[in-house]
Amino acid sequence: MKEQFAIRRLATIAALTLAWCGLWRTISVANVLSGLVLSFVVVATGVGTPGRGAVRFWPLMQLLWLVLVDLVTSTAGVARSILAPTPGTEEAIIAVELPQDARQHLLLLTVAITLTPGTAVVDADPDTGTVYLHLLHTDRLDATVAHVEQLAVLACKALPTRIASVAL
């Protein structure tokens, strides 16, 4: 168990150091050393690790896959509606209330929703956990609400927080 914990810490330090070098857009001795120092400080102090603090790989991959599939299918749908000789679209703004534990992932969910063409977050209330969405097609209203709820569930599973940890 202790070996697995040490391997996880080393992998985290390596990933953070690599990200640090990526931010500087170059791998140099100075960037690697400063990245290692910063990574050790982050890992040692536990910065950004609320509650259980673990990133769950499989739910994170499911979330990323879902966003990628949304991006491809939504782009095709918007392109089809632009190219089709129809008089117009029926647009709407709807409110979707997120579960309590998903409110910790409001920024992630806002980006994931807005990334897909045809849907955009026009406002988000962090106090109530309500996200207001602009839909290009109202015929997908129920499917969009269910999809946002699915994104919220996967975000909570992939990135557990203190609130989610207490509930589990």
Side-chain angles (χ1 to χ4, degrees), residues 90-105:
E90 291 187 35
E91 301 176 31
I93 294 182
I94 63 168
V96 179
E97 190 169 334
L98 299 172
Q100 179 69 31
D101 55 343
R103 295 176 189 177
Q104 299 293 319
H105 304 296

Side-chain angles (χ1 to χ4, degrees), residues 132-146:
Y132 298 93
L133 307 175
H134 174 268
L135 300 179
L136 189 59
H137 303 286
T138 56
D139 58 336
R140 300 217 5 101
L141 186 120
D142 293 333
T144 301
V145 171

